[in-house]
Amino acid sequence: MVIGVPKEIKTEENRVAVTPTEVAGFVARNHKVLIQKGAGLGSGLSDRAYEASGATIVGSAKEVWEPADLIMKVKEPQESEYPLMRSGLILFTYLHLAANESVTRALLERSVTAIAYETIQLDDGSLPLLTPMSEIAGRLSIQVGAWCLQAENGGRGILLGGASGVRPGHVVILGAGISGTAACQVAAGLGAHVSILDTIPAKLRYVHDILGGHVTTLMSNRANVEEAVIDADLVIGSVLIPGAQAPKLIPRTLVRRMKPGAAFVDISIDQGGCAETSRPTNHRTPIYVEEEVVHYCVTNMPAIVPNTSTYALTNSTLSYGLELANRGFPQALMRNKALAKGLNTYGGKITYEGVANAFNLPWTPVEEVIRP
């Protein structure tokens, strides 16, 4: 196969989908890898390093997309990339289609075989390609949340860890998944008072155990969410329904009751966000103030630490990328159930139920398009 790796063009997106080490893995199996010039520079990876690993460096995005059988990216295609997509192309990237109708329709119109990192799912329900970025986003959420609380950003002027004789800040985390647990560990490590809510007792028990009880765990219900959010200095939204829109746990009326100058970091924003006041932002203008609450709703949070994020991501994506390249479509999906769950569009059809439901469009089960 010809594997194409274009330079990411989303605002302030400095990650890259393949490192030189991964290039060597593809080349060793007789695949050709095309890297757009400068694609890895934001992550500290030079064109020379890619060439040394066997990649071919090309000057433009068109020179990557046109000959490629498989395009590996980090983020969903941007509008200027839509004309480069074509029928039969395999696109392997984060898509988050349930929150992005324009990308969904572009993939359908061009009959792209689109496989989403975030919906590849193992038998135990875990999401192996979403996990590394969820962990990083969770850790970052406390870092950026503390920044949002600074007075010059409109925040309350709260130091999360407090000081001698002064109460620490109260951090409330909605969702005890990968990102929520990572956020909880960092917040507790800073000395903040931390409350974490989830609907699954086993997840709360796990968080309680790993932190030695230095955290308040609460069942997520309307009363508990309201009470915790109203008292919070910093709220982290980390709820996830794989492949579907995030539930709106925080209505505008509840945001209005939060402390003036409190901060809200919505990790769920790439799936539509979990508050009625959430709207996507980028790294150039990451925050806005609404209902006197500082909102941070960047859709690609891990991009601000691209070196760490690129290596964490590619450690997980390589084996799936190799399987797609070695076996092709649909054979790779027939042999790998987890990979099959990643298929979101094929032949102009939506093959992931959560995406179809988000836009009230027809759904075609994956099994119908990958039959022998």
Side-chain angles (χ1 to χ4, degrees), residues 148-234:
C148 290
L149 285 170
Q150 293 175 190
E152 71 268 23
N153 297 316
R156 300 190 67 226
I158 294 286
L159 182 64
L160 285 180
S164 299
V166 183
R167 293 177 186 273
H170 184 193
V171 178
V172 171
I173 301 167
L174 303 178
I178 299 297
S179 57
T181 300
C184 191
Q185 289 175 299
V186 174
L190 285 174
H193 167 44
V194 185
S195 301
I196 186 166
L197 297 85
D198 203 285
T199 58
I200 302 175
K203 289 185 177 181
L204 296 176
R205 194 174 301 115
Y206 172 74
V207 172
H208 185 275
D209 288 347
I210 64 171
L211 291 174
H214 298 297
V215 60
T216 300
T217 55
L218 298 167
M219 285 299 294
S220 182
N221 55 51
R222 184 173 178 177
N224 283 344
V225 169
E226 284 190 5
E227 183 180 359
V229 168
I230 290 169
D231 186 62
D233 297 300
L234 170 60

Side-chain angles (χ1 to χ4, degrees), residues 298-314:
V298 175
T299 56
N300 58 334
M301 286 177 62
I304 55 175
V305 286
N307 187 281
T308 298
S309 296
T310 288
Y311 281 104
L313 175 63
T314 56

Side-chain angles (χ1 to χ4, degrees), residues 288-303:
Y288 60 91
V289 178
E290 193 155 332
E291 304 293 355
E292 297 186 88
V293 173
V294 182
H295 289 63
Y296 182 101
C297 301
V298 175
T299 56
N300 58 334
M301 286 177 62

